[in-house]
Amino acid sequence: MNKDLEFPENFLWGAAQSAYQTEGHNYNNDWYKFEQIKGKIKNNDTCGAACDHYNRFDSDFELLSNLNQNAHRTGIEWSRIVPEENEVNHDEIEHYHKVFESLKKHNLTSFVTVHHFTIPLWFEKKGGFLKRKNLKHFEYYCDILAKNFPEVEYWNTINEPGVLPLMGYMSKDYPPGRSSFLAFLKVYNNILRAHGIAYHKIKEKNPKSQVGIVKNVPYFYQKFYGKFWKKRVVSFFDNVYNQIFFDLLNNGRVSLNPLIREKCLKGTSDFFGINYYDALYFKFKLGIPYGMDFMLPEDTRFTQMGWGIYPRGLYENIMRVKKEFNGPIYITENGIATLEDKERQSFILEHLLAVHRAIKEGADVRGFFYWSSMDNWEWAEGFEPRFGLIGIDYETQERQIRESAKMYGEIAKQNKISANLLEKFKLNA
Ligand code: FCB
């Protein structure tokens, strides 16, 4: 028999989005430029007006607040605040003040991302994050944010620090569309430093605001690796992608190779933001890894993105972060792209069960942000994937509240998953 599953007092229930994916009318960054090249984006979509959230943020937040959400993760678009080198656009600063006022008015605790994949065109021209000396420009941007937005309660420094280096400098899927392992390493290293810069700048001006990293912690599915050699290879990649991260935050150096030190990173996360979507496994040929895939146990369901649904990976992730990181944890992204809203409802419930289990086993998880508040621009996949609790008709900009949004709202209101709901979806805690 199921029982109601209560969440801790003051738990934050929200949804996440980023600036570029929702705002619309951003024409001054690397993504805008990238999208104009034929063949880069699915169906040759361009972001254009996106969800027109730039103009509709107030009514959008009202919808979320009516759905009983009490927190919201959004972002700032760097190319709006600093449109040219060393030039600040004060109208845009005013704009984001209004955005944060609106969050407050709707009782939504603010989580704000400093950097979520996009960079201004002028910064790209200078070589972007590939050049270490360019970090001073990122520092300038962080300084403006820190000085101007003391009202922000939680800052997320860099969204998924491994993703831009990987997708932009290895797999060619994101701008600048390059493929070079050396470039990947350089950009990865500089982005990690950028995280440290953002942390220190914000804390210096606003010691009370909480500042943390947001990291996708891919769960490398182990079942396929009986052989000693394969296990070693997988754990090497896990070290590079995940473990060095924890090491740098904890000690400012990497246990795998103590010669790699970044002292400025030690202690630079007041909380840990986990983004989780799926589990992965490595493909091997003649014992050599050559790619990754999402195929999991035989009955795995797949999302519109082709990602395999594996809620247990979220539980494993949280428990790992609990072990490696001494501080509060927020699930800063977890969601599904699907045309079947029932599937979204199951996905949410199954993943919340995983979070609940981790909490029961002592993990200090303080909030959950479904990705995403509304359908939006899914980078190289264009507008096809539907991640939203709220559906968007891109022709008319009409908002449609999905059943999953209402279900999630009910959970948020009661701060628990009721036994009835679990029965309805035939789930067991
Ligand atoms: C994450 C990104 C987010 C969104 C989701 C689906 O990796 O942070 O912007 O694209 O994936």
Side-chain angles (χ1 to χ4, degrees):
M1 259 310 260
N2 274 313
K3 286 197 302 223
D4 290 355
L5 300 179
E6 312 261 352
F7 281 75
E9 220 178 303
N10 302 322
F11 197 77
L12 295 182
W13 295 100
Q17 61 190 55
S18 82
Y20 188 69
Q21 290 171 278
T22 54
E23 280 181 352
H25 326 288
N26 277 304
Y27 307 112
N28 189 25
N29 69 27
D30 59 337
W31 265 90
Y32 171 71
K33 192 174 125 193
F34 191 69
E35 289 155 28
Q36 311 310 311
I37 308 170
K38 279 232 155 10
K40 292 289 183 198
I41 312 291
K42 192 155 186 192
N43 306 323
N44 286 318
D45 284 351
T46 52
C47 184
C51 314
D52 194 32
H53 179 72
Y54 186 83
N55 296 310
R56 297 165 193 251
F57 63 86
D58 196 48
S59 48
D60 284 341
F61 295 157
E62 190 179 344
L63 291 179
L64 298 176
S65 156
N66 289 343
L67 288 162
N68 308 313
Q69 297 188 17
N70 60 6
H72 183 68
R73 176 174 174 231
T74 185
I76 294 183
E77 172 57 35
W78 181 1
S79 65
R80 285 189 188 275
I81 301 285
V82 191
E84 293 297 335
E85 186 177 341
N86 299 330
E87 196 185 300
V88 178
N89 184 331
H90 293 279
D91 291 343
E92 295 291 6
I93 290 184
E94 268 320 297
H95 168 79
Y96 285 108
H97 275 313
K98 288 190 194 131
V99 172
F100 304 145
E101 256 170 49
S102 170
L103 285 177
K104 193 160 189 189
K105 180 174 91 187
H106 293 106
N107 295 319
L108 295 162
T109 298
S110 50
F111 277 63
V112 177
T113 312
V114 173
H115 180 264
H116 198 128
F117 299 163
T118 56
I119 58 175
L121 276 176
W122 60 264
F123 185 73
E124 190 199 41
K125 265 193 211 124
K126 287 180 165 300
F129 283 112
L130 191 57
K131 302 234 171 85
R132 173 141 315 172
K133 67 173 199 277
N134 287 347
L135 286 177
K136 65 174 186 284
H137 297 292
F138 182 73
E139 184 163 359
Y140 177 85
Y141 166 53
C142 292
D143 191 54
I144 309 280
L145 299 190
K147 276 204 273 231
N148 283 283
F149 300 117
E151 68 265 47
V152 170
E153 295 157 279
Y154 293 80
W155 285 99
N156 296 151
T157 54
I158 306 279
N159 182 69
E160 304 181 341
V163 169
L164 191 162
L166 204 62
M167 306 288 272
Y169 291 85
M170 281 287 288
S171 75
K172 304 199 220 166
D173 292 321
Y174 288 7
R178 287 190 53 187
S179 183
S180 146
F181 188 59
L182 191 65
F184 159 77
L185 285 179
K186 278 191 191 163
V187 174
Y188 194 20
N189 188 218
N190 287 336
I191 285 205
L192 289 178
R193 288 194 156 204
H195 156 73
I197 289 170
Y199 181 88
H200 291 299
K201 269 286 153 204
I202 296 170
K203 289 304 264 193
E204 189 186 296
K205 302 253 159 38
N206 309 296
K208 283 210 189 115
S209 49
Q210 295 298 294
V211 187
I213 190 82
V214 162
K215 162 108 174 79
N216 64 323
V217 191
Y219 176 68
F220 296 115
Y221 192 67
Q222 300 289 334
K223 190 175 156 200
F224 300 96
Y225 311 117
K227 298 252 168 53
F228 175 73
W229 160 245
K230 288 188 182 172
K231 275 206 172 116
R232 291 298 289 262
V233 172
V234 175
S235 88
F236 171 77
F237 280 103
D238 185 67
N239 269 316
V240 172
Y241 205 82
N242 293 323
Q243 190 61 39
I244 65 165
F245 224 83
F246 298 119
D247 292 349
L248 287 171
L249 291 185
N250 288 336
N251 310 313
R253 76 185 130 84
V254 172
S255 54
L256 194 69
N257 180 352
L259 291 177
I260 307 178
R261 285 160 195 254
E262 292 290 354
K263 283 230 177 79
C264 59
L265 293 181
K266 187 173 170 180
T268 53
S269 223
D270 301 332
F271 60 88
F272 200 99
I274 298 179
N275 287 1
Y276 176 79
Y277 289 90
D278 49 43
L280 302 167
Y281 83 94
F282 281 89
K283 295 194 270 194
F284 286 87
K285 217 175 227 159
L286 302 174
I288 298 167
Y290 70 97
M292 284 202 273
D293 216 334
F294 302 106
M295 204 190 82
L296 292 168
E298 263 170 31
D299 54 349
T300 300
R301 286 133 49 214
F302 289 87
T303 75
Q304 250 188 320
M305 301 288 282
W307 298 346
I309 300 175
Y310 192 63
R312 191 191 162 111
L314 178 56
Y315 161 80
E316 300 281 356
N317 252 316
I318 298 171
M319 296 316 275
R320 175 171 190 184
V321 173
K322 172 183 183 290
K323 193 172 111 220
E324 303 283 357
F325 175 81
N326 184 20
I329 299 170
Y330 293 89
I331 310 306
T332 34
E333 285 181 29
N334 173 240
I336 177 174
T338 179
L339 299 176
E340 303 293 330
D341 195 54
K342 260 259 147 41
E343 182 74 326
R344 188 181 337 274
Q345 296 174 47
S346 306
F347 182 99
I348 292 174
L349 285 172
E350 286 165 357
H351 286 79
L352 284 178
L353 284 184
V355 175
H356 191 269
R357 176 172 170 205
I359 293 174
K360 223 169 53 191
E361 292 176 24
D364 184 10
V365 184
R366 300 193 182 174
F368 179 91
F369 294 81
Y370 175 80
W371 182 277
S372 180
S373 48
M374 59 187 108
D375 291 341
N376 61 52
W377 171 255
E378 182 42 42
W379 310 113
E381 298 298 314
F383 284 118
E384 207 173 85
R386 298 286 178 161
F387 273 99
L389 290 173
I390 296 174
I392 302 278
D393 178 335
Y394 293 110
E395 300 274 300
T396 60
Q397 291 295 349
E398 219 173 288
R399 272 65 176 148
Q400 179 225 340
I401 311 277
R402 294 195 168 121
E403 282 306 308
S404 51
K406 295 181 196 158
M407 182 201 80
Y408 185 60
E410 213 31 53
I411 295 171
K413 185 172 166 192
Q414 300 180 11
N415 203 33
K416 71 179 183 200
I417 306 176
S418 72
N420 280 346
L421 195 55
L422 293 174
E423 300 295 327
K424 191 169 148 201
F425 282 83
K426 301 190 173 44
L427 289 169
N428 285 312

